Amino acid sequence: MTRIFSGVKPTGHLTLGNYLGAVRRWAETDQHRADALFCVVDLHALTVEHDPARVRRLSRQAATLLLAAGLDPALCTVFVQSHVDEHARLSYVMECTATDGELRRMIQYKEKSARARAAGESVRLSLLTYPVLMAADILAYGTDEVPVGDDQTQHVELTRDLAVRFNQRYGHTFVVPKATRPEVAARVMDLQEPTSKMGKSHAATAGIVYLLDEPEVVRKKIMRAVTDSGREVEYDREERPGVANLLDVLAACEGGNPEELAGVYESYGALKKDTAEAVVELLRPVRERHAELAADPGYVDQVLREGAERARGMARPTVDAAYRAIGLLPAG
């Protein structure tokens, strides 16, 4: 059976972009067709300045939202990264396989380190090396497919390169995974800055729809979305990114085609109104289920505990094999 691994980073509240770009497909498709693991990658949240209490709170919220979105512990493995030691164990081995040059070429490292320096902040070493930890996350489980958005594709390519290099140097140990992407809304853009991704850790929140936003807040954000010059509703990502983003979101909510939907609307106002209502209805069951789960934290704890135990059992043989292959003496 195909094995899938993917994760969410608890650096902010989960957004509509997270849901349409990844989480909905995990729940509706991936957990049913594959041996799937979905992880709250909390170690990755430590690569930048952070509040420890907030990371813990957001980690629990992310896990609860994954369950609220429809991930079923009977069908897939839901767990928290730091609860499974094999991620950190394998990460160091992969650091010994990667090179300084290929990590410094990572686009996200270039962008995030530049922002940190511009703000007068120091750049943590973990910001440079976290793609190696991501590779360890994936390779530890013999993953075949990694469902990702466009911005993470480069990291999966690095994972593939490291797996091939390790296998060639030390003997076949890892499955070489591939990235998979949804057809529509792989990258939902900020409603106020439609050339930027809808990111959960952005400081400005007016263009970001969060999964737990109240319906009126969702409607207000979408009705205030930036559109483009001109009056015609056309799907053109380059020339009219604001309208294209709304069409992408509406198409993803309703299962339509953004180019075809463009021909249905004669005004931006009508498009915004329909998009807002579609998003409100899409998120309603997620919000309601989240409220139920948040009221029963013992259940969420149990799911995470059992998920970590299952994940540990899957990862340990591969990580032990990698330790042997690279030359480490087995424990007695």
Side-chain angles (χ1 to χ4, degrees), residues 2 30 37 43 45 59 66-67 71 82 91 107 144 157 183 192 195-196 208 210-211 243 253 263 279 301 312 320 329:
T2 299
D30 291 337
L37 299 101
L43 295 175
S59 295
L66 292 182
L67 298 175
L71 293 188
S82 64
S91 182
I107 293 170
D144 299 295
E157 288 304 313
E183 293 179 7
Q192 292 297 316
T195 56
S196 300
I208 302 170
Y210 297 104
L211 298 191
V243 172
C253 288
V279 171
D301 287 341
R312 211 174 290 122
D320 286 349
L329 190 66

Side-chain angles (χ1 to χ4, degrees), residues 189-222:
M189 313 306 277
D190 190 294
L191 296 171
Q192 292 297 316
E193 297 181 40
T195 56
S196 300
K197 189 182 76 162
M198 186 181 284
K200 58 182 177 295
S201 55
H202 289 183
T205 61
I208 302 170
V209 174
Y210 297 104
L211 298 191
L212 296 179
D213 276 347
E214 294 290 338
E216 281 311 308
V217 173
V218 173
R219 292 187 182 99
K220 186 179 294 185
K221 288 179 176 178
I222 293 176

Side-chain angles (χ1 to χ4, degrees), residues 8 10 25 60 96 133 135 153 156 177 198 207 210 220 223 246 256 290 294 306 313 331:
V8 292
R25 188 175 68 154
R60 172 175 287 282
C96 297
L133 174 58
T153 302
V156 180
M198 186 181 284
Y210 297 104
K220 186 179 294 185
M223 292 305 293
L246 290 170
H290 176 270
E306 292 175 355

Side-chain angles (χ1 to χ4, degrees), residues 47-63:
T47 60
V48 294
E49 194 66 36
H50 63 277
D51 171 20
R54 185 170 186 265
V55 170
R56 281 191 292 272
R57 187 169 65 251
L58 290 175
S59 295
R60 172 175 287 282
Q61 184 188 88

Side-chain angles (χ1 to χ4, degrees), residues 12 81 99 114 177 195 204 247 299:
Q81 179 190 32
T99 67
T195 56
L247 289 166
Y299 171 73

Side-chain angles (χ1 to χ4, degrees), residues 162-211:
L162 296 180
V164 169
R165 187 178 306 156
F166 190 98
N167 289 345
Q168 289 175 342
R169 287 180 180 173
Y170 308 114
H172 186 79
T173 307
F174 299 119
V175 173
V176 180
K178 66 177 181 179
T180 57
R181 288 179 295 280
E183 293 179 7
V184 177
R187 204 171 193 203
V188 178
M189 313 306 277
D190 190 294
L191 296 171
Q192 292 297 316
E193 297 181 40
T195 56
S196 300
K197 189 182 76 162
M198 186 181 284
K200 58 182 177 295
S201 55
H202 289 183
T205 61
I208 302 170
V209 174
Y210 297 104
L211 298 191

Side-chain angles (χ1 to χ4, degrees), residues 77-188:
T77 303
V78 180
F79 67 106
V80 175
Q81 179 190 32
S82 64
H83 294 177
V84 180
D85 293 345
E86 277 65 29
H87 291 257
R89 286 181 63 209
L90 185 56
S91 182
Y92 182 73
V93 168
M94 301 321 295
E95 283 186 16
C96 297
T97 310
T99 67
D100 176 78
E102 62 192 344
L103 292 181
R104 292 188 187 278
R105 285 194 294 272
M106 293 288 109
I107 293 170
Q108 288 210 0
Y109 172 72
K110 290 180 178 179
E111 293 177 349
K112 290 182 179 181
S113 61
R115 281 201 298 269
R117 292 188 184 99
E121 299 171 357
S122 59
V123 179
R124 299 187 182 196
L125 179 62
S126 55
L127 187 63
L128 177 66
T129 60
Y130 95 86
V132 172
L133 174 58
M134 182 175 168
D137 298 337
I138 296 164
L139 298 176
Y141 296 100
T143 302
D144 299 295
E145 296 181 12
V146 188
V148 291
D150 294 339
D151 58 327
Q152 292 295 331
T153 302
Q154 188 185 32
H155 292 159
V156 180
E157 288 304 313
L158 174 68
T159 301
R160 290 171 54 85
D161 291 344
L162 296 180
V164 169
R165 187 178 306 156
F166 190 98
N167 289 345
Q168 289 175 342
R169 287 180 180 173
Y170 308 114
H172 186 79
T173 307
F174 299 119
V175 173
V176 180
K178 66 177 181 179
T180 57
R181 288 179 295 280
E183 293 179 7
V184 177
R187 204 171 193 203
V188 178

